[in-house]
Amino acid sequence: MATDLPGPHVLRRMVDGYEVSRALHVAAALGVADLLGDGPKPVGELASATETHAPTLYRLLRSLASVGVFAEDADGHFELTPLAQYLRSDVPGSMRGWAVWLAQRSTWGMWGDLMHSVRTGQPAFPAVHGTGVWDYYAQHPEENTVFNAAMTGGSRAQVDAVVQAYDFSGIDTLVDVGGGQGAFLSAILTAYPAMRGVLFDQPHVVTGAPVVLGASGVADRCTIVGGSFFESVPADADAYILKWIVHDWDDPEAVTILRTCRRAIADTGRLLLVTRVLPPRNEPHPAKFTDLLFLVMYGGRERTAEELERLLAGGGFQLQRIIPVTEERGESVVEGIPI
Ligand code: SAH
């Protein structure tokens, strides 16, 4: 954001931020960037392929071109720019799944009632949609598919960084607790050919796992288990990893999940959280806003190092180390051992 503009203009850009966001979501949901993968196209062709109103699609793409996403060439054809590349589906670092998820009605609706969360401290999602996120997704399989794709895309984007930052050697069996459809676990198992994996998530989520694990060639080293981490997780593994889990929950629920892991883990085992760690006060950090995302969505929260230490202690673990993973997304691996 340009800071040489007068204050009111800077603030106006911030206030209007969701206009850019919304335009990006629509372009992502329509798959415009994928259609441009093999070169520039006239807007009429894009409109036919996306079943949209051509003059209005033009206005959408023109607005995005003004912020560097897509560009209109001298012939009036649209093309990809370096930023627009990341709206394609199958490129490393793709943001498409995330952009589509943020676009879908249930996500948009919960953000629309941030005020409810700020007034009450409670998540907006159930207030808006009548039920919590996980039940809602169980009842809306299409939206659940979009959510899972957003998580899978996000996992792929950072998995290399996690594998590089953390030394998983010495782990015989790793349980990925709330592991979605297994994209993250697949990548770890690929990097550690002797390791065995257990993918654990809700039954309706793990139904999509065999395809993901099969595509990575690790299916024969991985067991898939459906269940709830509020009841039990597969026992006796030497390491349990929870990526993007504890921030979904407020402290009482997060502690319950950790206690469930504590009951299952060997005394010599280790617990690994992949999560963002909130820096103090004014320091800019992605977690400052994902904290609000988890608030409106689940009543969850991001945590400081001290809060994570307390959370682990409540679950029966001692914080050992915090290993930073990605600078730009502010992820870390938080390592704990059973007390
Ligand atoms: N670890 C994955 C997914 C994070 S999203 C990743 O990093 O991509 C949070 C996950 O928690 C979802 O996959 C969701 O299905 C799972 N989850 C939510 N409630 C659960 C429960 N009670 N038991 C097990 N998994 C649950």
Side-chain angles (χ1 to χ4, degrees), residues 134 144 147-148 150-152 154-155 158 176-181 183-184 200-205 227-231 241-245 247-249 257 298:
W134 304 121
N144 192 44
F147 173 74
N148 289 334
M151 290 300 110
T152 301
S155 282
Q158 6 154 344
D176 191 352
V177 178
Q181 302 190 319
F184 182 52
F200 180 80
D201 205 296
Q202 303 184 92
H204 68 273
V205 173
S228 171
F229 47 44
F230 290 110
E231 285 155 26
I241 193 158
L242 289 78
K243 174 167 165 293
W244 295 353
I245 301 297
H247 59 205
D248 291 352
W249 305 93
I257 297 168
Y298 321 99

Side-chain angles (χ1 to χ4, degrees), residues 60-308:
L60 179 81
L61 298 181
R62 179 178 61 187
S63 74
L64 287 171
S66 78
V67 292
V69 184
F70 305 114
E72 184 182 359
D73 68 15
D75 303 326
H77 294 193
F78 278 91
E79 62 190 4
L80 294 174
T81 56
L83 282 180
Q85 290 284 353
Y86 297 106
L87 283 184
R88 296 175 67 184
S89 303
D90 290 319
V91 293
S94 172
M95 285 290 147
R96 184 178 176 216
W98 185 256
V100 173
W101 174 68
L102 269 165
Q104 73 179 7
R105 258 171 225 290
S106 56
T107 318
W108 176 242
M110 74 184 186
W111 269 113
D113 214 354
L114 172 62
M115 185 66 86
H116 171 82
S117 292
V118 174
R119 284 201 195 286
T120 63
Q122 299 297 313
F125 194 102
V128 175
H129 300 295
T131 174
V133 177
W134 304 121
D135 287 342
Y136 180 92
Y137 282 153
Q139 291 154 20
H140 295 83
E142 285 148 37
E143 295 197 38
N144 192 44
T145 304
V146 171
F147 173 74
N148 289 334
M151 290 300 110
T152 301
S155 282
R156 287 210 173 109
Q158 6 154 344
V159 77
D160 289 348
V162 174
V163 171
Q164 270 176 20
Y166 189 80
D167 184 4
F168 291 86
S169 51
I171 297 176
D172 291 328
T173 305
L174 177 68
V175 184
D176 191 352
V177 178
Q181 302 190 319
F184 182 52
L185 187 57
S186 294
I188 300 174
L189 292 179
T190 303
Y192 292 87
M195 195 190 285
R196 301 193 60 81
V198 182
L199 177 69
F200 180 80
D201 205 296
Q202 303 184 92
H204 68 273
V205 173
V206 293
T207 50
V211 177
V212 176
L213 297 169
S216 310
V218 298
D220 58 334
R221 285 189 284 132
C222 193
T223 315
I224 300 171
V225 182
S228 171
F229 47 44
F230 290 110
E231 285 155 26
S232 64
V233 298
D236 295 331
D238 42 0
Y240 290 73
I241 193 158
L242 289 78
K243 174 167 165 293
W244 295 353
I245 301 297
V246 289
H247 59 205
D248 291 352
W249 305 93
D250 208 348
D251 289 353
E253 292 85 8
V255 164
T256 305
I257 297 168
L258 295 184
R259 285 203 185 127
T260 311
C261 295
R262 179 67 188 85
R263 283 201 303 278
I265 200 169
D267 285 343
T268 53
R270 48 186 141 148
L271 179 86
L272 306 169
L273 311 178
V274 181
T275 191
R276 282 168 286 262
V277 182
L278 266 176
R281 289 208 296 283
N282 305 321
E283 210 174 299
H285 194 277
K288 303 270 166 99
F289 275 92
T290 50
D291 181 51
L292 295 183
L293 167 63
F294 302 132
L295 165 68
V296 291
M297 192 166 178
Y298 321 99
R301 57 172 63 247
E302 299 281 21
R303 294 178 174 89
T304 62
E306 294 72 36
E307 287 167 341
L308 284 164

